[in-house]
Amino acid sequence: MIALIDYGAGNLTSVRKGFAAAGAELTTPRTPADLATATAIVVPGVGHFQATTPLGGEWRDSILHALEAGAALFGICLGLQWLFDSSTEAEDVPGLGLMSGRCERLPSTVKVPHVGWNALAMTRGSRLLDRIPDGAQVYFTHSFAAPVTADCVASATHGRPFAAAVERDRVCGVQFHPEKSGEIGLQIIRNFLRLIAA
Amino acid sequence: MSTAPLSNLSKRIIACLDVRDGSVVKGVNFEGLKRAGDPAELAARYNVEGIDEVVILDVAATIQQRRALADTIRAVSSKLFIPLAVGGGIRSEADADAVIEAGADKVSLNSAPLAEPQLLTRLAGRYGSQAVVVAIDAKRENGRYAVFSRSGTTPARRDAVEWAKEAEARGAGEILLTSIDRDGTRAGFDCEMTAAVSSAVAIPVIASGGAGTFDHFLDVFTAGAADAALAASIFHYSEHAVSDLKKFLRDAGVAVRLVS
Protein backbone atom coordinates (compact mmCIF):
# COMPACT_ATOMS: atom_id res chain seq x y z
CA MET A 1 0.00 0.00 0.00
CA ILE A 2 1.28 3.43 -0.95
CA ALA A 3 -0.22 5.90 1.49
CA LEU A 4 -1.04 9.46 0.49
CA ILE A 5 -1.48 11.48 3.64
CA ASP A 6 -4.32 13.99 3.43
CA TYR A 7 -3.80 16.48 6.25
CA GLY A 8 -5.85 19.21 4.62
CA ALA A 9 -3.06 21.17 2.89
CA GLY A 10 -4.30 21.48 -0.64
CA ASN A 11 -6.01 19.35 -3.21
CA LEU A 12 -4.69 15.87 -3.88
CA THR A 13 -6.41 15.15 -7.21
CA SER A 14 -3.35 15.98 -9.32
CA VAL A 15 -0.98 13.89 -7.17
CA ARG A 16 -3.30 10.90 -7.49
CA LYS A 17 -3.51 11.37 -11.27
CA GLY A 18 0.26 11.65 -11.57
CA PHE A 19 0.88 8.42 -9.67
CA ALA A 20 -1.92 6.71 -11.60
CA ALA A 21 -0.24 7.69 -14.87
CA ALA A 22 2.98 6.14 -13.53
CA GLY A 23 1.06 2.96 -12.70
CA ALA A 24 0.43 3.24 -8.97
CA GLU A 25 -2.71 3.69 -6.96
CA LEU A 26 -2.52 5.78 -3.81
CA THR A 27 -4.52 5.03 -0.69
CA THR A 28 -5.48 7.69 1.80
CA PRO A 29 -5.14 6.26 5.33
CA ARG A 30 -7.91 7.18 7.74
CA THR A 31 -5.81 6.88 10.88
CA PRO A 32 -2.07 6.88 11.65
CA ALA A 33 -2.34 3.17 12.57
CA ASP A 34 -3.18 2.41 8.91
CA LEU A 35 0.44 3.25 8.01
CA ALA A 36 1.56 -0.04 9.58
CA THR A 37 1.00 -1.81 6.24
CA ALA A 38 2.44 0.96 4.03
CA THR A 39 5.35 0.20 1.73
CA ALA A 40 5.65 3.89 0.97
CA ILE A 41 4.26 7.17 2.28
CA VAL A 42 3.66 10.25 0.15
CA VAL A 43 3.45 13.55 2.02
CA PRO A 44 2.07 16.22 -0.35
CA GLY A 45 1.06 19.74 0.57
CA VAL A 46 0.99 23.33 -0.52
CA GLY A 47 0.83 26.57 1.36
CA HIS A 48 2.00 27.70 4.79
CA PHE A 49 4.34 25.59 6.96
CA GLN A 50 1.74 26.02 9.73
CA ALA A 51 -0.48 23.70 7.66
CA THR A 52 1.83 20.78 8.57
CA THR A 53 0.71 21.02 12.22
CA PRO A 54 -1.68 18.04 11.89
CA LEU A 55 1.34 15.90 10.89
CA GLY A 56 2.71 16.20 14.43
CA GLY A 57 1.82 13.76 17.20
CA GLU A 58 0.44 10.40 16.11
CA TRP A 59 1.04 10.84 12.39
CA ARG A 60 4.66 11.71 13.01
CA ASP A 61 5.17 8.67 15.25
CA SER A 62 3.47 6.33 12.79
CA ILE A 63 5.50 7.68 9.87
CA LEU A 64 8.76 7.16 11.77
CA HIS A 65 7.64 3.64 12.73
CA ALA A 66 6.85 2.82 9.11
CA LEU A 67 10.28 4.10 8.03
CA GLU A 68 11.96 1.88 10.61
CA ALA A 69 9.97 -1.03 9.19
CA GLY A 70 11.41 -0.28 5.72
CA ALA A 71 8.81 1.99 4.13
CA ALA A 72 9.95 4.68 1.68
CA LEU A 73 8.94 8.32 2.10
CA PHE A 74 8.30 10.95 -0.59
CA GLY A 75 7.68 14.57 0.39
CA ILE A 76 6.31 16.86 -2.29
CA CYS A 77 6.57 20.67 -2.10
CA LEU A 78 5.60 21.51 1.50
CA GLY A 79 6.17 17.80 2.15
CA LEU A 80 9.87 18.23 1.31
CA GLN A 81 10.17 21.21 3.63
CA TRP A 82 8.56 19.17 6.42
CA LEU A 83 11.42 16.61 6.20
CA PHE A 84 13.73 19.28 7.61
CA ASP A 85 14.05 20.58 11.19
CA SER A 86 11.97 23.72 10.88
CA SER A 87 10.90 26.68 8.78
CA THR A 88 11.07 30.39 9.51
CA GLU A 89 7.53 30.53 8.11
CA ALA A 90 6.19 28.96 11.33
CA GLU A 91 8.92 28.85 13.98
CA ASP A 92 6.78 27.02 16.54
CA VAL A 93 5.90 24.11 14.21
CA PRO A 94 8.60 21.43 14.16
CA GLY A 95 9.39 19.54 10.98
CA LEU A 96 10.05 15.81 10.90
CA GLY A 97 13.74 16.55 11.40
CA LEU A 98 15.07 13.66 9.32
CA MET A 99 17.16 16.16 7.41
CA SER A 100 19.12 18.90 9.10
CA GLY A 101 18.45 22.50 8.30
CA ARG A 102 15.89 25.25 8.40
CA CYS A 103 13.65 26.32 5.50
CA GLU A 104 13.69 30.03 4.75
CA ARG A 105 11.90 32.47 2.48
CA LEU A 106 13.44 33.02 -0.95
CA PRO A 107 15.12 36.43 -1.20
CA SER A 108 13.18 39.51 -2.26
CA THR A 109 15.72 40.23 -5.02
CA VAL A 110 13.49 38.04 -7.23
CA LYS A 111 9.74 37.60 -7.56
CA VAL A 112 8.29 35.50 -4.76
CA PRO A 113 6.41 33.17 -4.96
CA HIS A 114 8.67 31.30 -7.34
CA VAL A 115 6.18 30.10 -9.95
CA GLY A 116 7.04 28.25 -13.13
CA TRP A 117 9.57 25.97 -14.76
CA ASN A 118 13.12 26.04 -13.47
CA ALA A 119 16.19 23.93 -14.16
CA LEU A 120 17.54 21.13 -11.98
CA ALA A 121 21.28 21.23 -11.29
CA MET A 122 22.30 17.72 -10.27
CA THR A 123 24.60 17.70 -7.26
CA ARG A 124 25.22 13.94 -7.05
CA GLY A 125 23.93 10.60 -8.27
CA SER A 126 20.48 9.66 -7.11
CA ARG A 127 17.90 6.94 -7.54
CA LEU A 128 15.03 9.44 -7.55
CA LEU A 129 16.56 11.39 -10.42
CA ASP A 130 17.91 8.40 -12.33
CA ARG A 131 18.02 9.17 -16.07
CA ILE A 132 16.87 12.76 -15.54
CA PRO A 133 19.29 15.00 -17.47
CA ASP A 134 21.10 17.87 -15.80
CA GLY A 135 19.23 21.07 -16.63
CA ALA A 136 15.85 19.33 -16.96
CA GLN A 137 13.04 21.75 -16.15
CA VAL A 138 10.31 21.08 -13.62
CA TYR A 139 7.36 23.08 -12.28
CA PHE A 140 7.70 24.97 -9.00
CA THR A 141 5.26 27.05 -6.98
CA HIS A 142 6.48 28.06 -3.51
CA SER A 143 7.89 30.91 -1.43
CA PHE A 144 10.01 29.07 1.14
CA ALA A 145 12.76 26.57 0.40
CA ALA A 146 15.13 24.14 2.08
CA PRO A 147 18.90 24.66 2.19
CA VAL A 148 21.39 22.82 -0.03
CA THR A 149 22.92 20.22 2.28
CA ALA A 150 24.56 16.79 1.91
CA ASP A 151 21.06 15.31 1.39
CA CYS A 152 20.47 17.49 -1.68
CA VAL A 153 20.60 15.60 -5.01
CA ALA A 154 19.53 18.52 -7.20
CA SER A 155 19.44 22.23 -6.57
CA ALA A 156 17.63 25.02 -8.38
CA THR A 157 18.31 28.75 -8.31
CA HIS A 158 15.81 31.52 -7.70
CA GLY A 159 17.42 34.38 -5.86
CA ARG A 160 19.65 31.77 -4.24
CA PRO A 161 20.32 28.07 -4.75
CA PHE A 162 17.95 25.84 -2.78
CA ALA A 163 17.21 22.13 -2.44
CA ALA A 164 15.02 21.09 -5.38
CA ALA A 165 15.34 17.38 -4.57
CA VAL A 166 16.68 15.48 -1.56
CA GLU A 167 17.40 11.82 -1.00
CA ARG A 168 18.84 9.79 1.84
CA ASP A 169 18.36 6.02 1.95
CA ARG A 170 14.59 5.56 1.41
CA VAL A 171 13.62 9.13 2.21
CA CYS A 172 13.07 11.44 -0.78
CA GLY A 173 11.61 14.84 -1.36
CA VAL A 174 11.05 17.31 -4.18
CA GLN A 175 10.28 21.01 -3.88
CA PHE A 176 8.70 21.02 -7.35
CA HIS A 177 5.52 19.25 -8.46
CA PRO A 178 6.38 16.04 -10.33
CA GLU A 179 2.69 15.55 -11.09
CA LYS A 180 2.76 18.88 -12.99
CA SER A 181 6.19 18.58 -14.61
CA GLY A 182 5.31 16.77 -17.80
CA GLU A 183 7.15 13.63 -18.86
CA ILE A 184 10.17 14.49 -16.66
CA GLY A 185 7.90 14.56 -13.62
CA LEU A 186 6.24 11.26 -14.46
CA GLN A 187 9.70 9.70 -14.86
CA ILE A 188 10.62 10.91 -11.36
CA ILE A 189 7.44 9.34 -9.96
CA ARG A 190 8.31 6.09 -11.75
CA ASN A 191 11.82 6.29 -10.27
CA PHE A 192 10.30 6.58 -6.80
CA LEU A 193 8.09 3.55 -7.49
CA ARG A 194 11.21 1.63 -8.51
CA LEU A 195 12.96 2.75 -5.32
CA ILE A 196 10.04 1.37 -3.27
CA ALA A 197 10.38 -2.01 -4.97
CA ALA A 198 14.17 -2.14 -4.57
CA MET B 1 34.01 37.62 -15.77
CA SER B 2 30.67 35.93 -15.47
CA THR B 3 28.22 36.20 -12.61
CA ALA B 4 25.79 33.52 -11.55
CA PRO B 5 22.25 34.24 -12.69
CA LEU B 6 19.82 35.42 -10.03
CA SER B 7 17.30 32.89 -11.26
CA ASN B 8 17.06 30.18 -13.87
CA LEU B 9 13.28 30.49 -13.97
CA SER B 10 11.89 30.24 -17.48
CA LYS B 11 9.36 32.60 -19.00
CA ARG B 12 6.13 30.66 -19.46
CA ILE B 13 4.10 30.32 -22.65
CA ILE B 14 0.48 29.63 -21.82
CA ALA B 15 -2.21 28.47 -24.25
CA CYS B 16 -5.73 29.65 -23.63
CA LEU B 17 -8.59 27.48 -24.78
CA ASP B 18 -11.81 29.45 -25.02
CA VAL B 19 -14.43 26.83 -24.43
CA ARG B 20 -18.18 26.96 -24.83
CA ASP B 21 -20.44 23.93 -24.32
CA GLY B 22 -17.44 21.60 -24.29
CA SER B 23 -15.83 22.83 -27.53
CA VAL B 24 -13.00 25.25 -28.29
CA VAL B 25 -14.70 28.22 -29.93
CA LYS B 26 -11.86 29.99 -31.73
CA GLY B 27 -10.94 28.39 -35.04
CA VAL B 28 -8.75 25.36 -34.65
CA ASN B 29 -7.72 23.48 -37.74
CA PHE B 30 -4.85 21.15 -37.01
CA GLU B 31 -4.44 18.09 -39.10
CA GLY B 32 -4.44 14.93 -37.08
CA LEU B 33 -6.98 16.02 -34.53
CA LYS B 34 -9.95 13.71 -34.46
CA ARG B 35 -12.27 16.48 -33.44
CA ALA B 36 -11.10 19.95 -34.36
CA GLY B 37 -12.71 21.67 -31.41
CA ASP B 38 -12.00 19.07 -28.74
CA PRO B 39 -10.23 20.79 -25.83
CA ALA B 40 -8.62 17.57 -24.54
CA GLU B 41 -7.07 16.74 -27.91
CA LEU B 42 -5.89 20.29 -28.43
CA ALA B 43 -4.38 20.49 -24.94
CA ALA B 44 -2.59 17.18 -25.48
CA ARG B 45 -1.23 18.49 -28.77
CA TYR B 46 0.11 21.66 -27.17
CA ASN B 47 1.59 19.57 -24.37
CA VAL B 48 3.64 17.53 -26.85
CA GLU B 49 4.90 20.76 -28.43
CA GLY B 50 6.03 22.09 -25.07
CA ILE B 51 3.35 24.49 -23.87
CA ASP B 52 4.08 25.35 -20.22
CA GLU B 53 0.55 25.70 -18.95
CA VAL B 54 -3.03 25.61 -20.18
CA VAL B 55 -5.92 27.90 -19.30
CA ILE B 56 -9.47 26.83 -19.99
CA LEU B 57 -11.74 29.84 -20.18
CA ASP B 58 -15.44 29.11 -20.15
CA VAL B 59 -16.29 32.09 -22.34
CA ALA B 60 -20.03 31.97 -21.93
CA ALA B 61 -19.93 31.48 -18.20
CA THR B 62 -19.94 34.96 -16.74
CA ILE B 63 -22.62 36.37 -18.96
CA GLN B 64 -24.89 33.37 -18.95
CA GLN B 65 -24.22 32.52 -15.31
CA ARG B 66 -22.92 29.14 -16.26
CA ARG B 67 -20.20 27.26 -14.51
CA ALA B 68 -17.14 25.91 -16.31
CA LEU B 69 -17.84 22.40 -17.47
CA ALA B 70 -16.43 19.81 -15.12
CA ASP B 71 -16.45 17.20 -17.87
CA THR B 72 -14.15 19.31 -20.03
CA ILE B 73 -11.77 19.81 -17.13
CA ARG B 74 -11.74 16.09 -16.36
CA ALA B 75 -11.03 15.22 -19.98
CA VAL B 76 -8.22 17.78 -20.31
CA SER B 77 -6.56 17.03 -16.95
CA SER B 78 -6.54 13.29 -17.61
CA LYS B 79 -4.14 13.86 -20.54
CA LEU B 80 -2.19 16.79 -19.20
CA PHE B 81 0.56 16.67 -16.58
CA ILE B 82 1.31 20.38 -16.58
CA PRO B 83 -0.51 23.13 -14.69
CA LEU B 84 -4.13 23.72 -15.66
CA ALA B 85 -6.05 26.86 -14.74
CA VAL B 86 -9.77 27.31 -15.22
CA GLY B 87 -11.70 30.57 -15.39
CA GLY B 88 -15.07 31.89 -16.35
CA GLY B 89 -18.02 32.26 -14.04
CA ILE B 90 -16.27 31.25 -10.82
CA ARG B 91 -18.15 33.32 -8.25
CA SER B 92 -17.98 31.36 -5.03
CA GLU B 93 -16.03 28.80 -3.05
CA ALA B 94 -18.48 26.17 -4.29
CA ASP B 95 -17.69 27.07 -7.91
CA ALA B 96 -13.96 26.86 -7.17
CA ASP B 97 -14.41 23.53 -5.37
CA ALA B 98 -16.16 22.08 -8.42
CA VAL B 99 -13.40 22.93 -10.91
CA ILE B 100 -10.55 21.99 -8.56
CA GLU B 101 -12.24 18.71 -7.72
CA ALA B 102 -12.51 18.05 -11.47
CA GLY B 103 -8.74 18.49 -11.89
CA ALA B 104 -7.91 22.19 -12.18
CA ASP B 105 -4.76 23.31 -10.33
CA LYS B 106 -5.72 26.97 -10.30
CA VAL B 107 -8.89 28.99 -10.52
CA SER B 108 -8.93 32.29 -12.37
CA LEU B 109 -11.36 34.88 -11.03
CA ASN B 110 -12.33 38.14 -12.67
CA SER B 111 -15.66 39.72 -11.74
CA ALA B 112 -16.41 38.01 -8.43
CA PRO B 113 -13.44 39.35 -6.39
CA LEU B 114 -14.10 42.88 -7.67
CA ALA B 115 -17.48 42.67 -5.98
CA GLU B 116 -16.21 40.66 -3.00
CA PRO B 117 -12.41 40.90 -2.51
CA GLN B 118 -12.57 38.75 0.66
CA LEU B 119 -13.29 35.77 -1.61
CA LEU B 120 -9.58 35.78 -2.55
CA THR B 121 -8.48 35.44 1.07
CA ARG B 122 -10.90 32.59 1.69
CA LEU B 123 -9.82 30.71 -1.44
CA ALA B 124 -6.12 31.24 -0.65
CA GLY B 125 -6.72 29.91 2.85
CA ARG B 126 -8.48 26.86 1.49
CA TYR B 127 -6.24 25.95 -1.47
CA GLY B 128 -3.11 28.08 -1.08
CA SER B 129 -2.25 31.25 -3.00
CA GLN B 130 -0.70 29.19 -5.80
CA ALA B 131 -4.23 28.12 -6.76
CA VAL B 132 -5.68 31.63 -6.95
CA VAL B 133 -5.24 33.67 -10.14
CA VAL B 134 -6.85 37.09 -10.43
CA ALA B 135 -7.75 37.98 -14.00
CA ILE B 136 -7.75 41.71 -14.65
CA ASP B 137 -9.27 43.08 -17.87
CA ALA B 138 -8.16 46.67 -18.35
CA LYS B 139 -8.11 49.40 -20.98
CA ARG B 140 -6.35 52.74 -21.22
CA GLU B 141 -8.46 55.68 -20.08
CA ASN B 142 -7.13 59.16 -19.36
CA GLY B 143 -3.60 57.95 -18.72
CA ARG B 144 -4.78 55.22 -16.35
CA TYR B 145 -5.58 51.54 -16.78
CA ALA B 146 -9.28 51.18 -16.08
CA VAL B 147 -10.50 47.78 -14.90
CA PHE B 148 -13.66 46.26 -16.40
CA SER B 149 -15.66 43.31 -15.16
CA ARG B 150 -18.22 40.97 -16.69
CA SER B 151 -16.22 40.18 -19.86
CA GLY B 152 -15.13 43.77 -20.34
CA THR B 153 -18.64 45.20 -20.35
CA THR B 154 -18.88 46.88 -16.94
CA PRO B 155 -16.52 49.55 -15.57
CA ALA B 156 -15.22 48.44 -12.17
CA ARG B 157 -14.05 51.96 -11.25
CA ARG B 158 -10.68 50.54 -10.27
CA ASP B 159 -7.16 51.12 -11.56
CA ALA B 160 -5.37 47.97 -12.72
CA VAL B 161 -2.16 48.66 -10.78
CA GLU B 162 -4.03 49.39 -7.55
CA TRP B 163 -6.32 46.39 -7.97
CA ALA B 164 -3.37 44.08 -8.66
CA LYS B 165 -1.69 45.26 -5.45
CA GLU B 166 -4.87 44.71 -3.44
CA ALA B 167 -5.39 41.27 -4.98
CA GLU B 168 -1.83 40.32 -4.03
CA ALA B 169 -2.35 41.55 -0.47
CA ARG B 170 -5.57 39.55 -0.21
CA GLY B 171 -3.91 36.29 -1.24
CA ALA B 172 -3.80 36.06 -5.04
CA GLY B 173 -0.84 34.04 -6.29
CA GLU B 174 -0.74 35.34 -9.86
CA ILE B 175 -2.22 38.12 -11.99
CA LEU B 176 -3.58 37.41 -15.48
CA LEU B 177 -3.61 40.83 -17.10
CA THR B 178 -5.56 41.27 -20.34
CA SER B 179 -5.48 44.43 -22.42
CA ILE B 180 -9.00 45.04 -23.70
CA ASP B 181 -7.54 47.53 -26.23
CA ARG B 182 -5.28 44.87 -27.74
CA ASP B 183 -7.36 41.71 -27.30
CA GLY B 184 -8.07 40.16 -30.70
CA THR B 185 -6.08 42.81 -32.62
CA ARG B 186 -2.83 40.82 -33.07
CA ALA B 187 -1.10 44.21 -32.72
CA GLY B 188 1.09 43.15 -29.80
CA PHE B 189 0.71 43.04 -26.03
CA ASP B 190 0.30 46.28 -24.08
CA CYS B 191 3.86 46.24 -22.75
CA GLU B 192 3.56 49.52 -20.87
CA MET B 193 0.54 48.34 -18.92
CA THR B 194 2.13 44.96 -18.27
CA ALA B 195 5.33 46.57 -16.97
CA ALA B 196 3.35 48.96 -14.77
CA VAL B 197 1.52 46.07 -13.08
CA SER B 198 4.49 43.67 -13.04
CA SER B 199 6.75 46.20 -11.31
CA ALA B 200 4.07 47.00 -8.70
CA VAL B 201 3.59 43.44 -7.41
CA ALA B 202 5.88 40.61 -6.33
CA ILE B 203 3.64 37.87 -7.69
CA PRO B 204 3.95 36.70 -11.31
CA VAL B 205 2.10 38.59 -14.02
CA ILE B 206 0.76 36.80 -17.09
CA ALA B 207 0.32 39.12 -20.08
CA SER B 208 -2.64 38.58 -22.37
CA GLY B 209 -4.25 40.26 -25.35
CA GLY B 210 -2.71 41.19 -28.68
CA ALA B 211 -0.29 38.38 -29.52
CA GLY B 212 0.22 38.30 -33.27
CA THR B 213 3.89 37.60 -33.93
CA PHE B 214 6.82 35.96 -32.16
CA ASP B 215 8.36 39.43 -31.70
CA HIS B 216 5.35 40.42 -29.60
CA PHE B 217 6.28 37.73 -27.07
CA LEU B 218 9.88 38.90 -26.99
CA ASP B 219 8.66 42.46 -26.38
CA VAL B 220 6.37 41.54 -23.51
CA PHE B 221 9.09 39.47 -21.80
CA THR B 222 11.62 42.29 -22.09
CA ALA B 223 9.93 45.73 -22.21
CA GLY B 224 6.77 44.37 -20.57
CA ALA B 225 8.59 42.53 -17.74
CA ALA B 226 5.99 39.77 -17.99
CA ASP B 227 6.61 36.47 -16.23
CA ALA B 228 4.39 34.59 -18.65
CA ALA B 229 2.46 35.30 -21.82
CA LEU B 230 -0.87 33.87 -22.83
CA ALA B 231 -2.35 33.53 -26.27
CA ALA B 232 -5.02 31.57 -28.06
CA SER B 233 -5.33 31.97 -31.79
CA ILE B 234 -1.62 32.45 -32.61
CA PHE B 235 -1.02 28.82 -31.68
CA HIS B 236 -3.72 27.74 -34.11
CA TYR B 237 -1.90 29.13 -37.17
CA SER B 238 0.61 26.37 -37.61
CA GLU B 239 1.27 22.96 -36.19
CA HIS B 240 4.61 23.88 -34.69
CA ALA B 241 3.86 27.39 -33.43
CA VAL B 242 4.61 26.60 -29.78
CA SER B 243 7.97 24.93 -30.34
CA ASP B 244 8.96 27.45 -33.03
CA LEU B 245 8.09 30.33 -30.71
CA LYS B 246 10.20 28.86 -27.94
CA LYS B 247 13.20 28.37 -30.21
CA PHE B 248 12.82 31.96 -31.39
CA LEU B 249 12.76 33.23 -27.80
CA ARG B 250 15.72 31.09 -26.78
CA ASP B 251 17.76 32.40 -29.69
CA ALA B 252 16.81 35.94 -28.60
CA GLY B 253 18.20 35.25 -25.12
CA VAL B 254 14.97 34.60 -23.23
CA ALA B 255 14.99 31.65 -20.82
CA VAL B 256 12.34 29.17 -21.94
CA ARG B 257 11.64 25.49 -21.46
CA LEU B 258 12.29 23.39 -24.54
CA VAL B 259 11.07 19.83 -24.78
CA SER B 260 12.92 17.33 -26.89
Side-chain angles (χ1 to χ4, degrees):
Chain A
M1 188 255 286
I2 303 177
L4 174 68
I5 300 187
D6 184 0
Y7 57 99
N11 182 271
L12 306 183
T13 308
S14 292
V15 176
R16 286 183 191 289
K17 284 185 179 177
F19 272 79
E25 194 185 329
L26 300 178
T27 304
T28 301
R30 288 173 189 279
T31 67
D34 294 343
L35 292 181
T37 56
T39 55
I41 300 165
V42 179
V43 181
V46 294
H48 201 280
F49 199 78
Q50 191 86 44
T52 64
T53 303
L55 288 172
E58 282 184 56
W59 281 110
R60 175 197 190 87
D61 294 344
S62 294
I63 289 169
L64 291 172
H65 266 281
L67 291 180
E68 278 171 33
L73 180 62
F74 193 21
I76 298 174
C77 195
L78 191 56
L80 170 142
Q81 296 175 22
W82 185 68
L83 300 177
F84 284 76
D85 291 324
S86 63
S87 171
T88 54
E89 190 172 25
E91 304 266 16
D92 53 332
V93 178
L96 189 60
L98 285 180
M99 294 182 178
S100 297
R102 185 177 62 173
C103 301
E104 294 185 359
R105 194 177 165 83
L106 291 167
S108 55
T109 48
V110 288
K111 281 201 171 187
V112 179
H114 172 220
V115 180
W117 299 79
N118 203 330
L120 296 175
M122 306 304 174
T123 53
R124 64 174 164 88
S126 136
R127 288 185 289 175
L128 186 66
L129 302 180
D130 184 35
R131 281 175 288 174
I132 305 297
D134 190 57
Q137 296 202 19
V138 288
Y139 186 79
F140 292 86
T141 175
H142 63 118
S143 297
F144 284 70
V148 177
T149 65
D151 294 315
C152 180
V153 291
S155 67
T157 298
H158 187 66
R160 64 174 162 84
F162 63 87
V166 296
E167 180 178 327
R168 189 207 295 164
D169 302 325
R170 292 169 75 74
V171 178
C172 305
V174 290
Q175 179 59 64
F176 54 89
H177 288 270
E179 76 281 12
K180 289 286 136 190
S181 295
E183 185 49 42
I184 296 278
L186 295 180
Q187 180 61 45
I188 291 168
I189 295 173
R190 286 192 288 266
N191 286 349
F192 178 69
L193 296 176
R194 204 169 292 126
L195 185 152
I196 298 171
Chain B
M1 194 179 79
S2 68
T3 50
L6 216 49
S7 174
N8 296 318
L9 181 62
S10 287
K11 300 289 190 181
R12 280 174 287 159
I13 304 295
I14 302 175
C16 183
L17 307 182
D18 290 350
V19 170
R20 180 183 289 146
D21 299 328
S23 292
V24 178
V25 291
K26 285 186 184 169
V28 181
N29 244 329
F30 281 160
E31 283 179 32
L33 291 185
K34 279 182 234 132
R35 289 175 47 209
D38 181 24
E41 287 215 22
L42 190 57
R45 178 63 169 269
Y46 287 152
N47 186 30
V48 168
E49 278 199 42
I51 203 76
D52 297 314
E53 194 161 331
V54 170
V55 174
I56 292 176
L57 188 63
D58 190 357
V59 290
T62 298
I63 288 171
Q64 302 183 356
Q65 302 293 308
R66 283 199 300 105
R67 291 175 185 178
L69 292 174
D71 286 346
T72 300
I73 298 166
R74 273 190 206 96
V76 170
S77 66
S78 70
K79 294 186 179 183
L80 202 65
F81 296 96
I82 59 174
L84 171 66
V86 175
I90 296 171
R91 317 194 68 81
S92 66
E93 283 152 291
D95 293 340
D97 285 348
V99 300
I100 286 177
E101 189 57 39
D105 302 294
K106 312 178 185 183
V107 290
S108 174
L109 300 102
N110 184 324
S111 304
L114 282 165
E116 189 198 2
Q118 301 87 340
L119 178 61
L120 299 177
T121 311
R122 294 203 303 273
L123 287 173
R126 193 177 180 105
Y127 294 111
S129 287
Q130 88 295 332
V132 183
V133 180
V134 169
I136 301 178
D137 295 348
K139 72 167 88 163
R140 291 173 179 242
E141 262 180 12
N142 306 319
R144 306 269 284 178
Y145 304 111
V147 178
F148 283 71
S149 68
R150 303 181 70 82
S151 303
T153 59
T154 308
R157 297 186 174 79
R158 299 289 306 253
D159 174 74
V161 174
E162 293 307 314
W163 173 226
K165 286 164 80 167
E166 181 180 342
E168 177 185 29
R170 288 185 182 273
E174 290 182 76
I175 302 289
L176 168 53
L177 179 66
T178 300
S179 164
I180 297 172
D181 298 318
R182 300 295 178 89
D183 200 27
T185 64
R186 294 176 190 166
F189 295 96
D190 189 334
C191 292
E192 268 183 56
M193 180 172 81
T194 307
V197 172
S198 184
S199 61
V201 295
I203 57 179
V205 173
I206 304 160
S208 161
T213 68
F214 289 178
D215 277 313
H216 292 153
F217 287 86
L218 179 58
D219 292 343
V220 85
F221 286 137
T222 51
D227 301 286
L230 175 143
S233 51
I234 187 172
F235 301 129
H236 305 339
Y237 293 163
S238 86
E239 291 195 11
H240 305 292
V242 175
S243 50
D244 287 348
L245 169 61
K246 286 193 158 189
K247 283 177 198 145
F248 168 84
L249 290 169
R250 178 201 56 191
D251 292 345
V254 176
V256 291
R257 164 182 168 256
L258 291 167
V259 297
S260 50

